[in-house]
Each structure stands twice: as structure tokens, then as C-alpha cells.
Amino acid sequence: MDQTQLEPEDLSLKPSTLPDDLDPSLAAVPAIEEVATRYADLENLQGVPSWSDVRPSPVREWRDVTGEFFDCVKELQLGELIHDNMFGLFDAMSAIEMMDPKMDAGMCCNKEATPLTFQTAVETSKMKLANLECRETIGIIDAVYSCTVSWLEGHSMAQTVLTCLYLHHPNQIEDKPMRAFACAIHKLVNLIRNFILRARVYEEEDFQPSTYGYDLCCDLTETKACNMLKSAEEDLVRKLKDTEGEREKEEVGALLSRLKFTRLLLQCLVSLYPTKP
């Protein structure tokens, strides 16, 4: 096919207008030279303002107002503040109230210490693994259930349930009620997580299924966890009969109710979860 048939008709230079001994690939050279000549003519124009002429750099003069500021502060009443004329509603909403622990993030009291790990807490005697009192176990159980509800509301497991160090290594806990509860919570969380994952009706802001590498006592069955809770309940029943103080009886009874509630809830979820034939 002839090359002249492939070129558009509106081109000013065509290969057919070139001499026969000239390479057709050099057809665009005159056009490039013409564009370069016009661009050079534009650069030679006089009176065209440069960017520095159009927008000169601003000149600022700084003045120390520290003394005036502190003099005005002395006259302030409770709830008043000093601001310039450009201070608006947006600035008021995004302002930081200094010396207020809830607003001032730079205060020393807001600097969080390094969180303890399970081993560090045990070595420093900040966490007991044995001989926990009933009121201590009750406080831990209530806090864990509160964190579990927060996890179900869409918060991450690392910031809710797993903040309890007793749940990191439940097999190392020597206290029988606390160990049984820690193992049962692992199975409860795992069952609820499997329910939600199988349903697939949640969004990222509704539920976070990540376990952050924790196995959630995969080597322990739900039946074993229920048996551990049942054994801890029997010990508390015997302890309740031998207790004479009214205050101690209330604490033992409260702990017994919580362990029984945990066991019944676990058994209920186990009966609802579909098992393999």
C-alpha cells in the first residue's frame, strides 16, 4: 500500500512534496524548526513581567507581645480568653485548653507508661496468679465482660478483650476460678466470632474479627471449658457453706453467679453453633 494514502489530508507537509532522494522520516523537521523560531520570538518580547514582579515576597515585622499578653491575662475572669480579630467559631472549636488533662496532650500526666506484658507483670508482682480474693476476681470478670461488649460494638480485640493480661496465658493461672473463666472467655469470643464470620453481614466499622495472632485456646474444647467452670462452681458452693461472715458470703455468692452465668452462656452458644455430622 502506498504511504501517501495513510497520511491525513489536512497536513501541511506531506511526504509527496519532498524530493525523491530525501528520507520520508525527516518530514517533520521543518515543522519543528518553525515552532522553535516562534518560541524564540516570544522569549525576546520586551515588557513581559516576571513572577518576581507580579508577586513580591512579603516583608514581615515581628514585635514581642509577651509582656502585653501577660498583663492582659491578669485581668481575665473565669471563662474569658484573649484572641485576635480573626478568631472565629472554627478556631474556638479546634482550640486546645491548656492545663486541662482532657484537652492538653502535652501535659506530663498524659504521658502513658510502657504497657506491661504477662511475664513482666508476674515478675514485678503486679499480677497474682494464685490465691485471688473473691472481690478481685469479680472485678476482673466484670471488666472483661465490659470489654467484650465493646468488642461486639465494633472496637478491635486488641483494645478491648485482650487488654486483660489474664487472657494472654490462661494455662499459667493457678487460681481455679480465674483460670476457668479465662478459658471460657476465649471459647465464648471464638464462638461469637465464628457466628459473625459465617453470617457475613457485617461491615468494617461494625465488627473487627482479627485476633492479632492469639489462638484463643484452640487446644481446649468447649466441653472442657464448661467442665472447668462446673468444677470451680462446686468449690465455691462448698466454700459458701463454710463461710460465716455476711460480707464474705455475698462475695462468694456473687462470684458463683458470674461463673454460672458464663457456663450457661457458653453452653447456649455451643448448642446454637452447627457441628459436623
Side-chain angles (χ1 to χ4, degrees), residues 193-212:
R193 178 175 175 271
N194 290 336
F195 276 131
I196 299 176
L197 290 178
R198 289 171 66 92
R200 296 182 180 180
V201 292
Y202 67 91
E203 299 292 340
E204 294 182 356
E205 62 272 10
D206 299 331
F207 181 74
Q208 299 187 24
S210 176
T211 59
Y212 299 92

Side-chain angles (χ1 to χ4, degrees), residues 1 29 51 88 108 110 123 138 141 198 241 276-277:
M1 183 180 291
V29 173
W51 177 251
C108 295
N110 289 334
E123 292 174 358
I138 291 173
I141 292 176
R198 289 171 66 92
K241 294 179 180 179
K276 296 182 180 180

Side-chain angles (χ1 to χ4, degrees), residues 95-108:
I96 297 176
E97 186 176 353
M98 299 179 64
M99 306 307 294
D100 186 354
K102 297 181 180 180
M103 299 290 293
D104 194 351
M107 295 185 65
C108 295

